[in-house]
Amino acid sequence: MKFSIREANIEDWEGLSKFFSTIYRKGHPLQNRQFWKWQFGDEKYGRSFICVNEKGEIVGHVGANFGGGVAWIINVYLFKDYRGKGILRELYALARKYYPLAATAANDAGLGLYRNMRWIRYYDLIRLVKINPEKVNLGTIDLCASIDVNLDKLECQDTHYFRQPFLKGICLGDGSRAVSQNAVGGLRLVDVNDVRLVEEQAWELGYNWIDYISSWNDITLVEMEKEGWVLDKESKIPWRLNPVQVNYFSDITFLSEGPLDKDFIVHRSYSDHGRIGSID
């Protein structure tokens, strides 16, 4: 069995499109050429590594999202016939040439892979939620219904994360940043300066709920808890919103190949847990 391992580029799109259409559900963002270019087309922000068989078919893929001086491993898949041949190890090695490796994982298969690789597992990421005080008596479906929000002069695309295709990023009055998901009634916070001011503006704009996800050592979470934010599992706002799946929540584990500084905080733009609009 012959195969080659290399870095992918946009010239591989036809093969990549076929590969992603085979392994992912219909509508997955990586089936979109524009999204792939955003995710992996600029080496400052990410790279895509592939295994190609002797027929020229892509049979394995490892993606890396660069953030915080780390290569976040995402979109890992290898066809069954090619497993057990050290291919993933070689693909990971290509990513490691850029930065030390880390990942977030939400399923047993991912955790099993990293356990076997002897990675370090940290405290799960924490997602806090707050519901508009005037809407607390509504049920999940009503809270996650589409709303009209006037975002004039608030939209921004001044970072790579906010240039993600189909994502609507906004800059709030206190300097905080967020992603508007008015199609499901919510505002997803990315950077937070003043928790109280963020809440006030979110409710003034008409959002039903707001959320924020980060690592356990992020002090912003402490401030939010003081203001009445709760763990998502204690709220009515599920993890999956497209379509809305009532009571669906997910534990997102944070891991790294080597030790990271104790003050390292996992930003929403790292890895793919923050791929708002696609995995939500």
Side-chain angles (χ1 to χ4, degrees):
M1 182 179 290
K2 296 181 179 180
F3 54 84
S4 61
I5 306 290
R6 62 177 174 82
E7 192 168 295
N9 57 63
I10 196 60
E11 301 303 319
D12 295 303
W13 175 248
E14 185 176 345
L16 287 165
S17 178
K18 181 178 179 181
F19 178 81
F20 293 136
S21 294
T22 299
I23 68 170
Y24 291 132
R25 57 173 169 75
K26 184 178 179 180
H28 190 281
L30 281 176
Q31 293 162 6
N32 179 282
R33 189 175 189 270
Q34 183 184 359
F35 186 92
W36 187 92
K37 287 185 68 176
W38 170 81
Q39 184 79 82
F40 301 122
D42 188 328
E43 66 178 14
K44 291 186 295 184
Y45 304 111
R47 291 277 87 176
S48 182
F49 310 101
I50 54 176
C51 176
V52 183
N53 68 13
E54 56 189 349
K55 297 179 182 179
E57 301 167 328
I58 296 174
V59 296
H61 179 272
V62 167
N65 164 223
F66 303 151
V70 172
W72 297 88
I73 299 301
I74 58 178
N75 306 120
V76 177
Y77 195 87
L78 184 64
F79 286 155
K80 188 175 181 179
D81 290 347
Y82 293 84
R83 296 173 189 173
K85 304 179 186 303
I87 292 174
L88 283 182
R89 182 174 64 249
E90 292 186 49
L91 291 169
Y92 274 59
L94 292 179
R96 194 182 296 110
K97 290 181 179 179
Y98 283 90
Y99 295 102
L101 306 184
T104 55
N107 57 53
D108 291 339
L111 289 177
L113 173 66
Y114 294 118
R115 170 179 265 176
N116 291 337
M117 295 168 66
R118 307 292 291 172
W119 280 33
I120 300 167
R121 182 177 181 179
Y122 301 89
Y123 199 98
D124 287 350
L125 298 185
I126 293 174
R127 177 181 178 236
L128 295 183
V129 177
K130 192 161 189 181
I131 294 172
N132 187 325
E134 296 182 0
K135 310 288 182 68
V136 292
N137 292 324
L138 296 179
T140 297
I141 299 302
D142 290 329
L143 286 170
C144 297
S146 178
I147 57 174
D148 291 323
V149 183
N150 183 357
L151 300 179
D152 289 347
K153 300 180 180 180
L154 293 179
E155 293 189 43
C156 59
Q157 289 187 319
D158 57 349
T159 67
H160 178 256
Y161 181 73
F162 282 113
R163 290 191 289 273
Q164 179 181 156
F166 321 118
L167 180 147
K168 188 180 295 183
I170 64 174
C171 295
L172 298 170
D174 71 316
S176 296
R177 297 168 180 271
V179 175
S180 176
Q181 278 202 290
N182 42 296
V184 288
L187 186 66
R188 326 298 293 270
L189 298 180
V190 177
D191 299 295
V192 182
N193 287 331
D194 188 305
V195 175
R196 290 186 179 181
L197 292 179
V198 163
E199 288 185 32
E200 289 176 7
Q201 189 166 7
W203 308 149
E204 287 174 2
L205 287 168
Y207 289 100
N208 294 338
W209 57 270
I210 42 182
D211 79 349
Y212 180 70
I213 186 169
S214 189
S215 46
W216 177 82
N217 59 329
D218 186 348
I219 300 303
T220 299
L221 297 169
V222 178
E223 296 302 314
M224 290 177 165
E225 289 169 348
K226 291 178 180 178
E227 296 299 322
W229 292 60
V230 299
L231 291 171
D232 59 353
K233 293 179 182 179
E234 299 172 5
S235 79
K236 303 174 186 178
I237 311 301
W239 175 259
R240 287 192 175 174
L241 298 169
N242 184 23
V244 175
Q245 294 188 22
V246 178
N247 295 324
Y248 184 100
F249 300 99
S250 184
D251 293 323
I252 308 298
T253 300
F254 161 39
L255 311 100
S256 66
E257 186 176 41
L260 297 173
D261 187 277
K262 65 183 180 64
D263 293 323
F264 187 92
I265 294 175
V266 183
H267 192 261
R268 190 162 208 160
S269 64
Y270 300 164
S271 193
D272 55 4
H273 68 272
R275 191 184 281 165
I276 293 172
S278 57
I279 66 166
D280 50 10

